[in-house]
Amino acid sequence: MDAAARARLLNDYQRDFPLTSQPFLQIAAALGTQESQVLEELRGLMVEGVLCRVGAVVRPNSIGASTLAAMAVPPERLETVAAQVSAHAEVNHNYEREHRLNLWFVVTAADRARIDAVLRAIEAETGIAPLDLPLQREYRIDLGFDLS
Amino acid sequence: MSALDPIDRRLVVETQAGLPLVAEPYAELGRRLGISADAVMTRLERLAASGAIRRIGVIPNHYALGYRANAMTVWDVDDRAVSELGKLVGGMACVTHCYRRPRRPPLWPYNLFAMVHARDRAEVDGMTVAIGRVLGGHARAHDVLYSTRILKKTGLRLAA
């Protein structure tokens, strides 16, 4: 697949993915290529790390509950504490950030009680109380990211 | 918000994790859930129409595409003005996500979060100035937090 078709694949199909029995065939027709080429390209882009996935972006808390949590971890303990946090299956994003609050993670669970239990467990394991920063309002609907 | 039945919930989790990269991905999802490909598509249409699913599509890794400066700009905005200003900031082209979250003083005085993805930190600086202008005199303080490492990133899971 040439660079122009690859760029269109990444930019033009971030939303309104075809809901037809063979969506990759429809994309291939639009890009002037073959279904097998589109599938191969997508697999390759995932292997390269350019593509996270082909899938859905879900409204926060549409199923279950979630929160953003932050911890101020002494730098020399960061690796250990980050591993303790990541070990929880309910933690699905965990980032190091340049700040006194240097560890930021998202906790997602079936309900709010489970989130409270995970935050308490992390505090008990690490001795550091996570700040609990649940979403109160969302001011932007995520429609994709213009790469052009 | 319409209630999701157990099949909807499984379908949301499956599609959030990623469509199977096969010629007939909805048929494959249907096999996993015990429903037809048509039923999968009908449900996905309904979930998208209700807003539970925001979009279905390719999800690029911004970092790998050269957007290496990913910053969380955070602002302490007057509570009386935050909703109106949040909508304005959320409408800016450079802002990818914009949220109101609670303050946790004294460690965390900020109530408005605006995420930006840029090619470098100079570009983030420009975006931060632009957001500050939109907020005008209503922002008492702000900070910019760069992510330096992704320590874990997985799709949505619903642990029991």
Side-chain angles (χ1 to χ4, degrees):
Chain A
M1 186 175 283
D2 64 28
R6 184 179 301 122
R8 284 186 60 197
L9 184 59
L10 283 169
N11 198 60
D12 298 356
Y13 292 95
Q14 293 185 34
R15 49 186 299 208
D16 300 329
F17 194 80
L19 277 173
T20 60
S21 62
Q22 288 181 262
F24 303 106
L25 183 66
Q26 187 170 323
I27 293 170
L31 297 180
T33 181
Q34 305 295 315
E35 182 183 43
S36 60
Q37 282 275 298
V38 170
L39 284 164
E40 191 182 315
E41 187 67 31
L42 289 171
R43 290 190 197 105
L45 289 168
M46 283 181 71
V47 170
E48 287 170 42
V50 171
L51 191 62
C52 297
R53 63 186 191 279
V54 180
V57 173
V58 176
R59 180 179 55 206
N61 306 327
S62 67
I63 51 170
S66 68
T67 196
L68 176 68
M71 293 169 81
V73 183
E76 68 278 8
R77 290 185 57 204
L78 187 68
E79 295 292 333
T80 311
V81 171
Q84 287 172 307
V85 168
S86 292
H88 290 267
E90 293 85 353
V91 172
N92 51 14
H93 289 75
N94 190 6
Y95 287 88
E96 179 187 2
R97 291 193 182 273
E98 282 178 6
H99 192 268
R100 185 174 162 210
L101 286 160
N102 51 355
L103 193 62
W104 289 76
F105 52 95
V106 175
V107 183
T108 304
D111 54 41
R112 180 65 220 190
R114 183 68 203 144
I115 288 175
D116 289 336
V118 170
L119 293 177
R120 279 196 304 271
I122 288 171
E123 182 174 359
E125 288 159 16
T126 64
I128 302 166
L131 295 188
D132 176 17
L133 304 171
L135 182 77
Q136 292 176 316
R137 280 286 302 279
E138 188 176 27
Y139 299 116
R140 184 182 186 86
I141 303 300
D142 179 8
L143 297 175
F145 185 69
D146 187 4
L147 298 168
S148 57
Chain B
M1 195 185 301
S2 58
L4 306 187
D5 69 25
I7 291 180
D8 284 337
R9 296 168 71 91
R10 286 179 58 200
L11 186 57
V12 167
V13 171
E14 290 274 353
T15 43
Q16 203 267 357
L19 294 179
L21 292 179
V22 297
E24 299 189 0
Y26 306 117
E28 171 59 29
L29 286 178
R31 273 191 284 281
R32 292 181 200 170
L33 301 177
I35 58 177
S36 69
D38 282 342
V40 167
M41 289 186 271
T42 305
R43 281 174 184 267
L44 288 176
E45 255 169 44
R46 179 168 45 74
L47 289 163
S50 75
I53 288 179
R54 285 279 166 71
R55 60 188 164 99
I56 299 175
V58 300
I59 301 178
N61 176 350
H62 304 132
Y63 191 87
L65 286 165
Y67 294 83
R68 304 258 155 135
N70 300 315
M72 185 168 81
T73 76
V74 291
W75 307 80
D76 174 12
V77 178
D78 189 329
D79 284 332
R80 286 165 301 184
V82 67
S83 276
E84 202 170 318
L85 291 168
K87 285 176 207 153
L88 292 177
V89 171
M92 294 173 73
C94 64
V95 173
T96 58
H97 298 85
C98 187
Y99 305 112
R100 182 178 181 183
R101 297 182 185 278
R103 298 184 185 85
R104 302 292 185 206
L107 257 182
W108 192 253
Y110 308 109
N111 60 338
L112 185 69
F113 289 57
M115 315 296 294
V116 298
H117 292 308
R119 288 182 177 81
D120 56 40
R121 292 192 179 198
E123 211 178 328
V124 171
D125 289 342
M127 293 171 176
T128 306
V129 169
I131 295 168
R133 285 203 186 112
V134 168
L135 294 173
H138 296 283
R140 290 177 286 247
H142 80 278
D143 204 343
V144 178
L145 281 73
Y146 288 96
S147 64
T148 43
R149 254 193 312 167
I150 299 174
L151 302 161
K152 183 176 185 183
K153 188 168 188 176
T154 58
L156 179 70
R157 286 187 200 165
L158 277 190

